[in-house]
Amino acid sequence: MPAWKNVFRRLKLKNRICFRRLLIIILLGGLLLSCATESNILTLELEIQELICLDGQHIFEGRILSLTGIKAVTVNIQTQKAQIKYRENHVTAEEIKTYLMDYGFTIDGIKGNIAARKRLPSCCHHEG
């Protein structure tokens, strides 16, 4: 027989009710505390010059999804825009932009790392 059943047998009825109430209060407190620390999900829209082909899209998605705090990514090759949903307490918009520029992506007209940009597939290089 499990040990916790022996505890309930030894307690009087009044003590059992108090014990159950205390247990419920502790569980509800833990639930409320975990909800209070939940972070907001923010959306960042960026114009990415290298999003002109499927290769660029796959590389971009792979890079951004490896960053901690990223919830979802939506990419539109026709408009060369990306919509990134991220957790505000894990990463900032500036950190996301810097991270992508380190991989050679051009963000809102600002060119990224030149050496990394050269490693992108040739179809991603758009001079315009």
Side-chain angles (χ1 to χ4, degrees), residues 13-83:
L13 180 59
K14 187 176 179 182
N15 289 340
R16 280 190 232 165
I17 293 171
C18 289
F19 180 75
R20 287 182 184 162
R21 284 182 184 165
L22 180 63
L23 185 62
I24 290 171
I25 289 171
I26 290 171
L27 290 175
L28 286 176
L31 179 65
L32 290 174
L33 185 62
S34 68
C35 290
T37 59
E38 186 68 27
S39 63
N40 291 334
I41 304 293
L42 301 178
T43 302
L44 175 65
E45 291 192 26
L46 300 173
E47 185 177 334
I48 312 292
Q49 188 173 328
E50 290 75 22
L51 292 179
I52 55 176
C53 60
L54 286 176
D55 286 340
Q57 178 183 351
H58 292 302
I59 292 169
F60 175 81
E61 288 173 345
R63 296 290 189 244
I64 194 66
L65 289 173
S66 68
L67 185 61
T68 302
I70 302 298
K71 182 97 170 131
V73 177
T74 305
V75 175
N76 186 333
I77 294 176
Q78 286 77 24
T79 61
Q80 293 179 316
K81 295 198 182 223
Q83 188 177 59

